[in-house]
mmCIF file of all heavy atoms in Angstrom:
data_model
loop_
_atom_site.group_PDB
_atom_site.id
_atom_site.type_symbol
_atom_site.label_atom_id
_atom_site.label_comp_id
_atom_site.label_asym_id
_atom_site.label_seq_id
_atom_site.Cartn_x
_atom_site.Cartn_y
_atom_site.Cartn_z
ATOM 1 N N ALA J 19 36.612 -105.248 340.336
ATOM 2 C CA ALA J 19 37.337 -106.150 339.467
ATOM 3 C C ALA J 19 38.781 -105.681 339.338
ATOM 4 O O ALA J 19 39.065 -104.478 339.368
ATOM 5 C CB ALA J 19 36.686 -106.199 338.086
ATOM 6 N N ASP J 20 39.685 -106.633 339.208
ATOM 7 C CA ASP J 20 41.099 -106.274 339.099
ATOM 8 C C ASP J 20 41.362 -105.317 337.940
ATOM 9 O O ASP J 20 42.242 -104.455 338.024
ATOM 10 C CB ASP J 20 41.949 -107.533 338.918
ATOM 11 C CG ASP J 20 42.060 -108.352 340.186
ATOM 12 O OD1 ASP J 20 41.784 -107.826 341.277
ATOM 13 O OD2 ASP J 20 42.430 -109.542 340.084
ATOM 14 N N SER J 21 40.602 -105.450 336.886
ATOM 15 C CA SER J 21 40.824 -104.650 335.698
ATOM 16 C C SER J 21 40.541 -103.164 335.897
ATOM 17 O O SER J 21 41.008 -102.341 335.105
ATOM 18 C CB SER J 21 39.977 -105.176 334.538
ATOM 19 O OG SER J 21 38.598 -105.138 334.861
ATOM 20 N N VAL J 22 39.792 -102.819 336.943
ATOM 21 C CA VAL J 22 39.434 -101.415 337.158
ATOM 22 C C VAL J 22 39.941 -100.864 338.481
ATOM 23 O O VAL J 22 39.758 -99.668 338.753
ATOM 24 C CB VAL J 22 37.914 -101.195 337.057
ATOM 25 C CG1 VAL J 22 37.378 -101.718 335.732
ATOM 26 C CG2 VAL J 22 37.182 -101.841 338.229
ATOM 27 N N LYS J 23 40.579 -101.682 339.291
ATOM 28 C CA LYS J 23 41.080 -101.212 340.577
ATOM 29 C C LYS J 23 42.022 -100.030 340.382
ATOM 30 O O LYS J 23 42.897 -100.054 339.527
ATOM 31 C CB LYS J 23 41.805 -102.331 341.313
ATOM 32 C CG LYS J 23 40.895 -103.352 341.949
ATOM 33 C CD LYS J 23 41.707 -104.419 342.683
ATOM 34 C CE LYS J 23 40.802 -105.449 343.323
ATOM 35 N NZ LYS J 23 41.587 -106.523 343.976
ATOM 36 N N GLY J 24 41.820 -99.022 341.209
ATOM 37 C CA GLY J 24 42.645 -97.831 341.134
ATOM 38 C C GLY J 24 42.181 -96.822 340.116
ATOM 39 O O GLY J 24 42.678 -95.688 340.108
ATOM 40 N N ARG J 25 41.258 -97.210 339.249
ATOM 41 C CA ARG J 25 40.753 -96.304 338.221
ATOM 42 C C ARG J 25 39.279 -95.957 338.414
ATOM 43 O O ARG J 25 38.867 -94.842 338.122
ATOM 44 C CB ARG J 25 40.938 -96.914 336.837
ATOM 45 C CG ARG J 25 42.389 -97.205 336.484
ATOM 46 C CD ARG J 25 42.531 -97.610 335.019
ATOM 47 N NE ARG J 25 41.807 -98.847 334.720
ATOM 48 C CZ ARG J 25 40.816 -98.938 333.836
ATOM 49 N NH1 ARG J 25 40.428 -97.872 333.156
ATOM 50 N NH2 ARG J 25 40.224 -100.106 333.620
ATOM 51 N N PHE J 26 38.507 -96.919 338.881
ATOM 52 C CA PHE J 26 37.068 -96.730 339.046
ATOM 53 C C PHE J 26 36.718 -96.658 340.524
ATOM 54 O O PHE J 26 37.360 -97.309 341.363
ATOM 55 C CB PHE J 26 36.295 -97.894 338.434
ATOM 56 C CG PHE J 26 36.295 -97.957 336.928
ATOM 57 C CD1 PHE J 26 37.198 -97.233 336.165
ATOM 58 C CD2 PHE J 26 35.374 -98.762 336.283
ATOM 59 C CE1 PHE J 26 37.189 -97.304 334.784
ATOM 60 C CE2 PHE J 26 35.354 -98.844 334.900
ATOM 61 C CZ PHE J 26 36.258 -98.118 334.151
ATOM 62 N N THR J 27 35.676 -95.896 340.837
ATOM 63 C CA THR J 27 35.170 -95.798 342.196
ATOM 64 C C THR J 27 33.655 -95.900 342.179
ATOM 65 O O THR J 27 32.989 -95.159 341.461
ATOM 66 C CB THR J 27 35.580 -94.476 342.857
ATOM 67 O OG1 THR J 27 37.005 -94.355 342.862
ATOM 68 C CG2 THR J 27 35.076 -94.425 344.299
ATOM 69 N N ILE J 28 33.128 -96.817 342.979
ATOM 70 C CA ILE J 28 31.690 -96.936 343.133
ATOM 71 C C ILE J 28 31.281 -96.244 344.422
ATOM 72 O O ILE J 28 31.987 -96.319 345.431
ATOM 73 C CB ILE J 28 31.236 -98.411 343.120
ATOM 74 C CG1 ILE J 28 29.709 -98.511 343.102
ATOM 75 C CG2 ILE J 28 31.825 -99.189 344.282
ATOM 76 C CD1 ILE J 28 29.194 -99.935 342.870
ATOM 77 N N SER J 29 30.164 -95.560 344.391
ATOM 78 C CA SER J 29 29.655 -94.899 345.580
ATOM 79 C C SER J 29 28.134 -94.869 345.510
ATOM 80 O O SER J 29 27.546 -95.112 344.455
ATOM 81 C CB SER J 29 30.217 -93.478 345.714
ATOM 82 O OG SER J 29 29.835 -92.670 344.615
ATOM 83 N N ARG J 30 27.530 -94.580 346.632
ATOM 84 C CA ARG J 30 26.080 -94.507 346.662
ATOM 85 C C ARG J 30 25.638 -93.314 347.490
ATOM 86 O O ARG J 30 26.288 -92.932 348.470
ATOM 87 C CB ARG J 30 25.472 -95.800 347.217
ATOM 88 C CG ARG J 30 25.857 -96.120 348.659
ATOM 89 C CD ARG J 30 25.456 -97.538 349.047
ATOM 90 N NE ARG J 30 24.018 -97.738 349.010
ATOM 91 C CZ ARG J 30 23.433 -98.929 348.993
ATOM 92 N NH1 ARG J 30 24.170 -100.036 348.984
ATOM 93 N NH2 ARG J 30 22.110 -99.015 348.974
ATOM 94 N N ASP J 31 24.538 -92.735 347.094
ATOM 95 C CA ASP J 31 23.918 -91.644 347.818
ATOM 96 C C ASP J 31 22.495 -92.089 348.114
ATOM 97 O O ASP J 31 21.614 -92.005 347.258
ATOM 98 C CB ASP J 31 23.942 -90.354 347.005
ATOM 99 C CG ASP J 31 23.432 -89.157 347.781
ATOM 100 O OD1 ASP J 31 22.701 -89.340 348.767
ATOM 101 O OD2 ASP J 31 23.762 -88.020 347.398
ATOM 102 N N ASN J 32 22.291 -92.577 349.316
ATOM 103 C CA ASN J 32 20.985 -93.128 349.658
ATOM 104 C C ASN J 32 19.893 -92.062 349.666
ATOM 105 O O ASN J 32 18.729 -92.361 349.390
ATOM 106 C CB ASN J 32 21.054 -93.828 351.009
ATOM 107 C CG ASN J 32 21.872 -95.098 350.961
ATOM 108 O OD1 ASN J 32 22.068 -95.689 349.907
ATOM 109 N ND2 ASN J 32 22.360 -95.531 352.122
ATOM 110 N N ALA J 33 20.255 -90.835 349.988
ATOM 111 C CA ALA J 33 19.275 -89.758 349.983
ATOM 112 C C ALA J 33 18.741 -89.486 348.588
ATOM 113 O O ALA J 33 17.613 -89.023 348.430
ATOM 114 C CB ALA J 33 19.879 -88.487 350.577
ATOM 115 N N LYS J 34 19.560 -89.754 347.580
ATOM 116 C CA LYS J 34 19.163 -89.537 346.194
ATOM 117 C C LYS J 34 18.778 -90.819 345.477
ATOM 118 O O LYS J 34 18.468 -90.788 344.283
ATOM 119 C CB LYS J 34 20.288 -88.841 345.428
ATOM 120 C CG LYS J 34 20.625 -87.458 345.933
ATOM 121 C CD LYS J 34 21.699 -86.820 345.066
ATOM 122 C CE LYS J 34 22.052 -85.430 345.568
ATOM 123 N NZ LYS J 34 20.908 -84.497 345.449
ATOM 124 N N ASN J 35 18.819 -91.941 346.186
ATOM 125 C CA ASN J 35 18.536 -93.236 345.572
ATOM 126 C C ASN J 35 19.364 -93.441 344.307
ATOM 127 O O ASN J 35 18.859 -93.869 343.261
ATOM 128 C CB ASN J 35 17.048 -93.376 345.249
ATOM 129 C CG ASN J 35 16.200 -93.647 346.476
ATOM 130 O OD1 ASN J 35 16.684 -93.669 347.606
ATOM 131 N ND2 ASN J 35 14.913 -93.869 346.254
ATOM 132 N N THR J 36 20.640 -93.149 344.416
ATOM 133 C CA THR J 36 21.513 -93.178 343.250
ATOM 134 C C THR J 36 22.829 -93.863 343.587
ATOM 135 O O THR J 36 23.393 -93.645 344.663
ATOM 136 C CB THR J 36 21.786 -91.759 342.735
ATOM 137 O OG1 THR J 36 20.541 -91.134 342.395
ATOM 138 C CG2 THR J 36 22.679 -91.785 341.500
ATOM 139 N N VAL J 37 23.295 -94.676 342.665
ATOM 140 C CA VAL J 37 24.619 -95.256 342.749
ATOM 141 C C VAL J 37 25.440 -94.719 341.586
ATOM 142 O O VAL J 37 24.932 -94.547 340.475
ATOM 143 C CB VAL J 37 24.568 -96.801 342.756
ATOM 144 C CG1 VAL J 37 23.899 -97.348 341.497
ATOM 145 C CG2 VAL J 37 25.959 -97.386 342.940
ATOM 146 N N TYR J 38 26.715 -94.434 341.855
ATOM 147 C CA TYR J 38 27.592 -93.829 340.872
ATOM 148 C C TYR J 38 28.772 -94.741 340.565
ATOM 149 O O TYR J 38 29.192 -95.548 341.389
ATOM 150 C CB TYR J 38 28.150 -92.500 341.384
ATOM 151 C CG TYR J 38 27.104 -91.494 341.770
ATOM 152 C CD1 TYR J 38 26.676 -91.376 343.083
ATOM 153 C CD2 TYR J 38 26.544 -90.655 340.813
ATOM 154 C CE1 TYR J 38 25.718 -90.448 343.439
ATOM 155 C CE2 TYR J 38 25.584 -89.721 341.159
ATOM 156 C CZ TYR J 38 25.173 -89.623 342.472
ATOM 157 O OH TYR J 38 24.220 -88.695 342.823
ATOM 158 N N LEU J 39 29.299 -94.563 339.402
ATOM 159 C CA LEU J 39 30.573 -95.165 339.047
ATOM 160 C C LEU J 39 31.435 -94.089 338.409
ATOM 161 O O LEU J 39 31.153 -93.650 337.293
ATOM 162 C CB LEU J 39 30.401 -96.337 338.078
ATOM 163 C CG LEU J 39 31.682 -97.103 337.755
ATOM 164 C CD1 LEU J 39 32.153 -97.900 338.974
ATOM 165 C CD2 LEU J 39 31.482 -98.039 336.568
ATOM 166 N N GLN J 40 32.450 -93.652 339.137
ATOM 167 C CA GLN J 40 33.419 -92.718 338.596
ATOM 168 C C GLN J 40 34.497 -93.521 337.888
ATOM 169 O O GLN J 40 35.211 -94.297 338.524
ATOM 170 C CB GLN J 40 34.033 -91.870 339.703
ATOM 171 C CG GLN J 40 35.099 -90.896 339.217
ATOM 172 C CD GLN J 40 34.539 -89.825 338.314
ATOM 173 O OE1 GLN J 40 33.582 -89.145 338.675
ATOM 174 N NE2 GLN J 40 35.112 -89.679 337.124
ATOM 175 N N ALA J 41 34.580 -93.361 336.604
ATOM 176 C CA ALA J 41 35.501 -94.129 335.787
ATOM 177 C C ALA J 41 36.585 -93.200 335.273
ATOM 178 O O ALA J 41 36.311 -92.299 334.467
ATOM 179 C CB ALA J 41 34.772 -94.799 334.630
ATOM 180 N N ASN J 42 37.810 -93.416 335.724
ATOM 181 C CA ASN J 42 38.945 -92.583 335.354
ATOM 182 C C ASN J 42 39.967 -93.385 334.563
ATOM 183 O O ASN J 42 39.981 -94.609 334.592
ATOM 184 C CB ASN J 42 39.618 -92.011 336.602
ATOM 185 C CG ASN J 42 38.718 -91.110 337.409
ATOM 186 O OD1 ASN J 42 37.887 -90.390 336.854
ATOM 187 N ND2 ASN J 42 38.887 -91.132 338.728
ATOM 188 N N ILE J 43 40.836 -92.668 333.916
ATOM 189 C CA ILE J 43 41.922 -93.255 333.125
ATOM 190 C C ILE J 43 41.351 -94.357 332.238
ATOM 191 O O ILE J 43 41.835 -95.488 332.210
ATOM 192 C CB ILE J 43 43.055 -93.788 334.027
ATOM 193 C CG1 ILE J 43 43.341 -92.830 335.191
ATOM 194 C CG2 ILE J 43 44.344 -93.978 333.214
ATOM 195 C CD1 ILE J 43 44.360 -93.329 336.181
ATOM 196 N N LEU J 44 40.333 -94.011 331.523
ATOM 197 C CA LEU J 44 39.635 -94.993 330.712
ATOM 198 C C LEU J 44 40.520 -95.521 329.599
ATOM 199 O O LEU J 44 41.338 -94.795 329.026
ATOM 200 C CB LEU J 44 38.359 -94.386 330.136
ATOM 201 C CG LEU J 44 37.224 -94.258 331.152
ATOM 202 C CD1 LEU J 44 36.194 -93.243 330.690
ATOM 203 C CD2 LEU J 44 36.566 -95.618 331.383
ATOM 204 N N LYS J 45 40.327 -96.791 329.310
ATOM 205 C CA LYS J 45 41.085 -97.496 328.290
ATOM 206 C C LYS J 45 40.131 -98.019 327.227
ATOM 207 O O LYS J 45 38.955 -98.237 327.501
ATOM 208 C CB LYS J 45 41.842 -98.676 328.909
ATOM 209 C CG LYS J 45 42.745 -98.317 330.067
ATOM 210 C CD LYS J 45 43.340 -99.569 330.695
ATOM 211 C CE LYS J 45 44.229 -99.236 331.865
ATOM 212 N NZ LYS J 45 44.810 -100.453 332.475
ATOM 213 N N PRO J 46 40.615 -98.246 326.024
ATOM 214 C CA PRO J 46 39.732 -98.803 324.992
ATOM 215 C C PRO J 46 39.052 -100.094 325.429
ATOM 216 O O PRO J 46 37.900 -100.333 325.050
ATOM 217 C CB PRO J 46 40.682 -99.040 323.816
ATOM 218 C CG PRO J 46 41.726 -97.989 323.975
ATOM 219 C CD PRO J 46 41.927 -97.879 325.465
ATOM 220 N N GLU J 47 39.717 -100.911 326.213
ATOM 221 C CA GLU J 47 39.118 -102.151 326.673
ATOM 222 C C GLU J 47 37.995 -101.947 327.679
ATOM 223 O O GLU J 47 37.307 -102.905 328.043
ATOM 224 C CB GLU J 47 40.178 -103.100 327.255
ATOM 225 C CG GLU J 47 41.053 -102.465 328.321
ATOM 226 C CD GLU J 47 42.384 -101.983 327.773
ATOM 227 O OE1 GLU J 47 42.389 -101.369 326.683
ATOM 228 O OE2 GLU J 47 43.419 -102.215 328.420
ATOM 229 N N ASP J 48 37.800 -100.715 328.145
ATOM 230 C CA ASP J 48 36.658 -100.403 328.989
ATOM 231 C C ASP J 48 35.381 -100.195 328.180
ATOM 232 O O ASP J 48 34.301 -100.060 328.767
ATOM 233 C CB ASP J 48 36.921 -99.143 329.818
ATOM 234 C CG ASP J 48 38.030 -99.329 330.832
ATOM 235 O OD1 ASP J 48 38.093 -100.399 331.471
ATOM 236 O OD2 ASP J 48 38.837 -98.392 330.995
ATOM 237 N N THR J 49 35.491 -100.145 326.875
ATOM 238 C CA THR J 49 34.330 -99.940 326.028
ATOM 239 C C THR J 49 33.320 -101.062 326.226
ATOM 240 O O THR J 49 33.645 -102.241 326.089
ATOM 241 C CB THR J 49 34.750 -99.872 324.559
ATOM 242 O OG1 THR J 49 35.575 -98.722 324.357
ATOM 243 C CG2 THR J 49 33.535 -99.769 323.648
ATOM 244 N N ALA J 50 32.098 -100.691 326.568
ATOM 245 C CA ALA J 50 31.053 -101.666 326.849
ATOM 246 C C ALA J 50 29.771 -100.929 327.181
ATOM 247 O O ALA J 50 29.766 -99.708 327.386
ATOM 248 C CB ALA J 50 31.446 -102.567 328.027
ATOM 249 N N VAL J 51 28.700 -101.682 327.244
ATOM 250 C CA VAL J 51 27.477 -101.189 327.857
ATOM 251 C C VAL J 51 27.593 -101.433 329.351
ATOM 252 O O VAL J 51 27.845 -102.561 329.785
ATOM 253 C CB VAL J 51 26.233 -101.885 327.289
ATOM 254 C CG1 VAL J 51 24.987 -101.473 328.067
ATOM 255 C CG2 VAL J 51 26.064 -101.561 325.813
ATOM 256 N N TYR J 52 27.426 -100.392 330.117
ATOM 257 C CA TYR J 52 27.512 -100.488 331.564
ATOM 258 C C TYR J 52 26.112 -100.541 332.153
ATOM 259 O O TYR J 52 25.265 -99.701 331.827
ATOM 260 C CB TYR J 52 28.293 -99.303 332.136
ATOM 261 C CG TYR J 52 29.775 -99.444 331.943
ATOM 262 C CD1 TYR J 52 30.330 -99.345 330.675
ATOM 263 C CD2 TYR J 52 30.625 -99.701 333.015
ATOM 264 C CE1 TYR J 52 31.690 -99.505 330.478
ATOM 265 C CE2 TYR J 52 31.987 -99.853 332.827
ATOM 266 C CZ TYR J 52 32.516 -99.754 331.559
ATOM 267 O OH TYR J 52 33.872 -99.905 331.381
ATOM 268 N N LEU J 53 25.882 -101.528 332.998
ATOM 269 C CA LEU J 53 24.586 -101.743 333.597
ATOM 270 C C LEU J 53 24.693 -101.698 335.103
ATOM 271 O O LEU J 53 25.641 -102.236 335.677
ATOM 272 C CB LEU J 53 24.014 -103.103 333.179
ATOM 273 C CG LEU J 53 23.935 -103.401 331.684
ATOM 274 C CD1 LEU J 53 25.062 -104.339 331.275
ATOM 275 C CD2 LEU J 53 22.591 -103.994 331.342
ATOM 276 N N CYS J 54 23.731 -101.078 335.730
ATOM 277 C CA CYS J 54 23.673 -101.157 337.178
ATOM 278 C C CYS J 54 22.648 -102.192 337.587
ATOM 279 O O CYS J 54 21.712 -102.506 336.847
ATOM 280 C CB CYS J 54 23.394 -99.797 337.824
ATOM 281 S SG CYS J 54 21.747 -99.135 337.575
ATOM 282 N N ALA J 55 22.844 -102.723 338.773
ATOM 283 C CA ALA J 55 21.983 -103.776 339.279
ATOM 284 C C ALA J 55 21.801 -103.609 340.780
ATOM 285 O O ALA J 55 22.659 -103.034 341.459
ATOM 286 C CB ALA J 55 22.575 -105.151 338.967
ATOM 287 N N ALA J 56 20.703 -104.120 341.272
ATOM 288 C CA ALA J 56 20.397 -104.043 342.690
ATOM 289 C C ALA J 56 19.942 -105.397 343.196
ATOM 290 O O ALA J 56 19.289 -106.156 342.475
ATOM 291 C CB ALA J 56 19.319 -102.997 342.951
ATOM 292 N N ARG J 57 20.300 -105.680 344.433
ATOM 293 C CA ARG J 57 19.847 -106.902 345.078
ATOM 294 C C ARG J 57 19.262 -106.569 346.431
ATOM 295 O O ARG J 57 19.853 -105.816 347.206
ATOM 296 C CB ARG J 57 20.988 -107.925 345.183
ATOM 297 C CG ARG J 57 22.181 -107.486 346.019
ATOM 298 C CD ARG J 57 23.395 -108.390 345.772
ATOM 299 N NE ARG J 57 23.144 -109.786 346.056
ATOM 300 C CZ ARG J 57 23.519 -110.426 347.174
ATOM 301 N NH1 ARG J 57 24.174 -109.783 348.132
ATOM 302 N NH2 ARG J 57 23.241 -111.714 347.319
ATOM 303 N N SER J 58 18.106 -107.120 346.707
ATOM 304 C CA SER J 58 17.423 -106.806 347.946
ATOM 305 C C SER J 58 18.132 -107.380 349.162
ATOM 306 O O SER J 58 17.946 -106.877 350.270
ATOM 307 C CB SER J 58 15.979 -107.309 347.899
ATOM 308 O OG SER J 58 15.925 -108.702 347.678
ATOM 309 N N ALA J 59 18.952 -108.402 348.970
ATOM 310 C CA ALA J 59 19.676 -108.996 350.085
ATOM 311 C C ALA J 59 20.661 -108.021 350.726
ATOM 312 O O ALA J 59 20.965 -108.141 351.908
ATOM 313 C CB ALA J 59 20.404 -110.259 349.627
#
C-alpha cells in the first residue's frame, strides 16, 4: 500500500511456514489490528 511503501517489508520463509512484516518508522496512523491472510491460488 502507498501508505507503507519504503517503511514496511513483507517476506516469507517457506521452510518455517512463516510470513513476516517488518514495520519501520511507525506512525500513529499505523495503529491497528494487523491480520495475516493466505490464499491457495
Side-chain angles (χ1 to χ4, degrees):
D20 287 342
S21 60
V22 305
K23 284 181 180 177
R25 300 189 297 119
F26 289 16
T27 302
I28 187 171
S29 62
R30 62 192 297 163
D31 186 339
N32 291 338
K34 297 183 180 295
N35 284 4
T36 301
V37 59
Y38 303 95
L39 185 70
Q40 178 66 53
N42 298 325
I43 319 175
L44 284 160
K45 305 174 181 180
E47 52 262 44
D48 294 319
T49 295
V51 173
Y52 283 70
L53 306 103
C54 70
R57 62 195 302 259
S58 58

